[in-house]
Amino acid sequence: MKSLSHKFCVAPMMDWTDSPCRVLHRCLTSHALLYTEMVTAEAVVHGDRARLLGFDGREHPVALQLGGSDPARMAQASRIAADFGYDEINLNVGCPSDRVQSGRFGACLMREPMLVAECVAAMQAAVSIPVTIKCRIGVDDQDPEQSLRALIDACAATGVSVFAVHARKAWLEGLSPKENRDVPPLDYELVYRVKRERPALTILVNGGIETLDQAADHLKHVDGVMLGRAAYHNPMLLAQVDARFFGGAPVDVDAAVEAYAEYVAQRLAQGARLHPLIKPLLGLYHGQPGARLFRRHLSEQAPRDGAGIAVLREALAFVKQREAA
């Protein structure tokens, strides 16, 4: 089984962490573990697998996040994903959306720890790559002190050793998925306590982490951190991850952007449209001179029919002109 570092991860985010986003993030950090958007097991088994599971080889190490609650189906989807070359399969026990609840997966599974354990046991039996879990601390009126421990202990008994914990409850009644990302209070201390009590497990903390300084503080208490929106909206911070947490050299942002531009050119030559490829770049120069012109040019020009790599080059010129000035 491959050994993966979970010290710094970029969280799975629906509609955001698609393959182009992950390629950009990989250009900025060699060591962070990247996660896909959640894909349902049913879609993997019955849908367009190339579209749902295809990824660029430069994304490694990369984990697929699966959603579902039928052990046999989860095992089948895991085998398919492993054949695509993913480095890890992660089970979603944290998404609070209505669609997820109606399908009996995501955060509502916090109420069914033994079913989750059955799923991960089946998944582990089906593949040789690691199976991990991303969860909340509880849902609705659950006591997080009990619900988080119950889930972790049930799954650890099957051999799962890596748990990424979004340190908030999910309120399935009364809050929207967007509100569930911010409104329920964070309880990092609970996650820290669970790690102290179960030192053999790899525990990651997720939720509300916005800077690398905050990530470093969490790493005094847990094994890993998982950044979500901060990494997407300000991807430049990823350029410091290798040096800060893995003993590597700082990534040269210009070189990283050039590598991504080459990837964009390759995808365009294969018939891809520019707009989805530049979406992950929009936050790249956050707060820097020329960033507003950079974003405006991409937002206005990239959606046009026939837009090519010249649009990206023109946008980058706005940033470089301001740097030179």
Side-chain angles (χ1 to χ4, degrees), residues 254-306:
D254 288 340
V257 172
E258 183 57 37
Y260 188 74
E262 292 174 3
Y263 159 77
V264 171
Q266 292 169 6
R267 290 295 311 279
L268 292 173
Q270 295 164 357
R273 294 181 61 251
L274 180 63
H275 189 240
L277 299 173
I278 60 88
K279 184 183 169 190
L281 286 169
L282 295 177
L284 185 62
Y285 295 102
H286 179 75
Q288 296 192 21
R292 188 169 58 84
L293 292 172
F294 170 80
R295 289 193 301 272
R296 179 193 293 173
H297 189 77
L298 289 178
S299 298
E300 292 177 351
Q301 300 300 320
R304 297 187 176 185
D305 290 341

Side-chain angles (χ1 to χ4, degrees), residues 39-74:
V39 182
T40 68
E42 289 292 331
V44 169
V45 171
H46 298 295
D48 182 344
R49 295 173 185 175
R51 180 181 64 81
L52 293 167
L53 299 181
F55 66 95
D56 191 285
R58 72 196 85 189
E59 295 175 33
H60 289 292
V62 58
L64 174 74
Q65 188 179 65
L66 280 177
S69 60
D70 177 82
R73 189 69 82 220
M74 295 302 294

